[in-house]
Amino acid sequence: MLRLRNVNSFYGNIQVLKNINVEISRGEIITLIGANGAGKTTTLMTISGIVPARSGEVLFMEKPIHNMRPDIIVSLGISQVPEGRRIFPYLTVSENLDMGAFLRTDSENIKKDMEYIFELFPILGQRRNQPGKTLSGGEQQMLAISRAIMARPKLLLLDEPSLGLAPLIVKQLFEIIKKINIENQTTIFLVEQNANLALKVAHRGYVMENGRITLSDSAENLFSNENVKKAYLGL
Amino acid sequence: MEYFFELILGGLTRGSIYALIALGYTMVYGIVELINFAHGEIYMIGAFTALIFTSVLTLLGFNEIAVIVLASLLAVIYSSAYGYTVEKIAYKPLRNAPRLSPLISAIGMSIFLQNYVLLAQTSDFLPFPNLIPEFEFIKPYRHIIGSPEIIILLTTSIAMVLLTFLIKFTRIGKAMRATAQDRNMAMLVGVNVNRVISITFIIGSALAALGGVLIASHVGQINFYIGFIAGIKAFTAAVLGGIGSIPGAVLGALVLGLTESFATGYVSSDYEDVFAFGLLVLILIFRPAGILGRAAAQKV
């Protein structure tokens, strides 16, 4: 479904991604784990077209997308939940969700999807007329994921959804992520520092170090890999 | 007492014009964090275009009402095209440059447009015909308020209501607010940010041109330099109200208009600017973000 082939990305003169190769098939949950500054966020931003790749190819359903504008990429079916949630602070909860469905025109279904989200996260329904910035961290993360789902993406990019949240809420979130994957057949690319959690939900994983992919294997194998254990699982 | 009401109405009229221009400053600042110093020039170009179209349309034998409406409409369209082009030429290439660069580019654009009109037209003041007809029903109150004031207040109010509706309830309005709050995130939900920025410049320019036509017709003369002074005043109004805030710009403009009106009426017209800018200094000391401004949002 998504393929990154020898991708190199830069911030100014600094090369962040070095010959990245990633492959994601339909319906999978793939995780990308690595330390701070390894280039995980940049990988997602490159896929979304915010930090365009300087060389290499990004193929989505066999179509090259690395030269496309971010809004076109969204329209093809790739949505991202960026790091730090990035809720529109002065838009209400329902306006934030509306923005998620910005490119859709089927207003009947948008309404239905919004109801579905309020079922999934009742707290968002209660707060639908509150500005986004008044939500707690966990609520904002729920809203951020919901906003991305409102686009009915084929591929959902998640950047550190567990960051700064209480363990209980994190557990809830990961249940939902699994649910989205199974119920809607949404392919998920999950970037996480919390390797323990990520490897539990993912089918396969990639390990990133200093802008390079150093390992790629099934989640179970990565879980039992000695180096991964030492470096990322703290075992 | 009558004098007092006269001053209030005069102040509101003046404030309305400032508001029309200030909205352009504040909307553009809200979205690209740029003080568009060429904005006053768009207002001036609006006035000039209206003058040209008025002459042509009158010559072609259109009746009074048709001339006003068509000339204003054409001026608005023409100025919007200017605003759009200025953004594309002078600001878009500098979108990711340090913030000082587009600011300097804006000042350059302002000087360029002033001199362009100076060369293409004239350095003298040109008489501007009074486009607004005298209403019969206003005659008894003539000493307090005239038809131009009524038209200015009415047009401005309608423009404000339409703008509020656009920003609050339409798709493009929502996209504008989202872009102002978090540009990259807006891209990530599929907003074509370049288009939103263009539309913002177009709306701001249209409002400024409308202000240009109204005030030119009211004052009766224009020259290439009117944009500079009006621009500075409107910018002051926008800062007063809290730059980036749309209701703030309107409020700031009305406060500024009233202050000037009262300063002129009770002290002396020579002190009008002293009071206007004195007020700005006071507000900035006690409320640095402006009357309705909010302190810059902390990005987490």
Side-chain angles (χ1 to χ4, degrees):
Chain A
M1 180 167 224
L2 182 81
R3 204 178 319 157
L4 276 67
R5 236 191 256 155
N6 301 321
V7 167
N8 291 287
S9 286
F10 292 72
Y11 282 116
N13 290 325
I14 301 159
Q15 182 165 12
V16 185
L17 299 186
K18 297 160 186 160
N19 268 322
I20 298 289
N21 287 287
V22 169
E23 225 180 308
I24 301 172
S25 309
R26 214 191 143 86
E28 277 188 308
I29 301 184
I30 302 297
T31 184
L32 177 64
I33 56 180
N36 271 335
K40 306 186 296 291
T41 297
T42 310
T43 308
L44 293 193
M45 288 303 177
T46 297
I47 298 172
S48 284
I50 303 275
V51 183
R54 199 168 289 183
S55 68
E57 282 183 312
V58 182
L59 301 169
F60 181 61
M61 306 206 293
E62 308 305 321
K63 248 204 291 188
I65 60 166
H66 45 272
N67 289 325
M68 290 184 177
R69 286 203 319 254
D71 52 300
I72 307 277
I73 293 176
V74 175
S75 74
L76 293 175
I78 301 182
S79 284
Q80 188 183 150
V81 180
E83 189 178 0
R85 316 184 257 275
R86 308 278 287 269
I87 295 302
F88 298 115
Y90 300 101
L91 298 190
T92 64
V93 168
S94 31
E95 282 175 333
N96 265 287
L97 292 173
D98 270 342
M99 282 313 293
F102 187 71
L103 293 174
R104 286 172 58 186
T105 46
D106 48 338
S107 48
E108 278 303 300
N109 289 329
I110 292 177
K111 237 184 229 159
K112 262 186 229 154
D113 285 6
M114 210 179 281
E115 289 312 314
Y116 168 73
I117 284 185
F118 291 151
E119 257 167 54
L120 209 59
F121 302 108
I123 188 77
L124 293 183
Q126 285 170 34
R127 301 190 189 283
R128 66 176 82 188
N129 293 321
Q130 260 175 251
K133 65 166 186 169
T134 61
L135 267 53
S136 74
E139 288 160 10
Q140 286 192 7
Q141 189 66 63
M142 291 172 198
L143 180 55
I145 292 179
S146 306
R147 179 178 58 189
I149 299 174
M150 285 299 289
R152 289 203 176 170
K154 300 186 179 84
L155 172 65
L156 182 61
L157 310 173
L158 293 168
D159 198 350
E160 308 238 9
S162 74
L163 196 71
L165 299 183
L168 196 70
I169 294 172
V170 172
K171 213 177 139 199
Q172 243 181 345
L173 268 178
F174 275 73
E175 290 301 320
I176 300 267
I177 292 171
K178 257 197 265 182
K179 197 170 157 189
I180 295 166
N181 173 249
I182 295 165
E183 278 185 10
N184 308 348
Q185 292 293 305
T186 310
T187 312
I188 290 175
F189 190 32
L190 170 69
V191 161
E192 261 295 348
Q193 269 196 63
N194 190 335
N196 204 346
L197 259 167
L199 289 174
K200 270 181 200 153
V201 293
H203 305 127
R204 287 189 301 120
Y206 290 86
V207 178
M208 197 168 203
E209 269 169 53
N210 293 323
R212 288 176 210 281
I213 301 279
T214 51
L215 255 180
S216 114
D217 211 330
S218 71
E220 298 91 61
N221 287 348
L222 285 178
F223 217 92
S224 51
N225 182 303
E226 283 305 318
N227 292 329
V228 174
K229 264 190 193 171
K230 233 185 270 166
Y232 303 107
L233 297 172
L235 297 173
Chain B
M1 205 54 197
E2 230 165 51
Y3 186 54
F4 179 76
F5 279 122
E6 199 186 318
L7 290 181
I8 286 199
L9 283 168
L12 288 178
T13 310
R14 207 188 266 242
S16 303
I17 299 294
Y18 290 154
L20 284 175
I21 313 172
L23 281 167
Y25 278 111
T26 219
M27 284 168 70
V28 164
Y29 185 86
I31 287 200
V32 285
E33 300 204 335
L34 161 76
I35 307 292
N36 178 13
F37 277 113
H39 189 57
E41 270 52 64
I42 300 291
Y43 155 91
M44 178 266 293
I45 286 171
F48 265 92
T49 329
L51 179 59
I52 294 166
F53 281 124
T54 308
S55 319
V56 173
L57 291 169
T58 314
L59 217 68
L60 289 175
F62 282 85
N63 74 25
E64 222 178 12
I65 303 285
V67 169
I68 309 170
V69 174
L70 278 178
S72 314
L73 203 67
L74 288 168
V76 162
I77 293 171
Y78 199 78
S79 309
S80 303
Y82 262 94
Y84 173 85
T85 314
V86 165
E87 193 269 330
K88 284 275 178 277
I89 293 175
Y91 309 141
K92 188 166 176 246
L94 298 170
R95 189 74 50 78
N96 296 316
R99 280 178 65 180
L100 200 55
S101 314
L103 197 69
I104 293 167
S105 184
I107 294 170
M109 211 50 188
S110 162
I111 296 170
F112 169 78
L113 288 175
Q114 271 178 35
N115 287 281
Y116 162 67
V117 174
L118 169 69
L119 287 175
Q121 300 293 325
T122 167
S123 61
D124 300 327
F125 270 97
L126 292 172
F128 197 99
N130 187 4
L131 298 173
I132 300 165
E134 285 291 323
F135 299 127
E136 276 305 319
F137 69 86
I138 206 74
K139 284 258 166 74
Y141 312 101
R142 184 76 209 102
H143 50 295
I144 300 179
I145 188 168
S147 347
E149 279 94 351
I150 290 194
I151 290 288
I152 289 176
L153 287 172
L154 208 66
T155 315
T156 313
S157 314
I158 294 172
M160 304 284 160
V161 170
L162 287 179
L163 182 69
T164 309
F165 176 81
L166 177 96
I167 287 181
K168 276 235 143 64
F169 299 113
T170 63
R171 197 174 118 92
I172 182 68
K174 240 176 249 169
M176 284 167 74
R177 281 186 290 154
T179 307
Q181 290 168 29
D182 190 334
R183 196 194 301 173
N184 273 353
M185 192 58 230
M187 287 185 198
L188 284 176
V189 293
V191 175
N192 182 348
V193 166
N194 282 330
R195 218 179 72 201
V196 169
I197 292 173
S198 290
I199 290 171
T200 307
F201 272 84
I202 288 174
I203 294 173
S205 305
L207 292 171
L210 193 62
V213 178
L214 289 172
I215 200 70
S217 157
H218 186 36
V219 173
Q221 55 174 11
I222 57 174
N223 81 344
F224 72 98
Y225 204 59
I226 56 167
F228 179 75
I229 298 147
I232 292 279
K233 283 286 171 63
F235 174 60
T236 306
V239 173
L240 207 61
I243 192 134
S245 157
I246 287 175
V250 177
L251 186 65
L254 294 180
V255 168
L256 188 71
L258 287 170
T259 308
E260 285 188 1
S261 179
F262 282 117
T264 311
Y266 287 127
V267 188
S268 151
S269 60
D270 295 338
Y271 284 95
E272 162 190 316
D273 290 351
V274 176
F275 278 89
F277 293 115
L279 177 73
L280 177 70
V281 171
L282 281 181
I283 296 265
L284 287 183
I285 290 172
F286 293 108
R287 263 196 82 84
I291 303 172
L292 294 184
R294 50 194 176 212
Q298 209 75 47
K299 294 218 166 113
V300 187

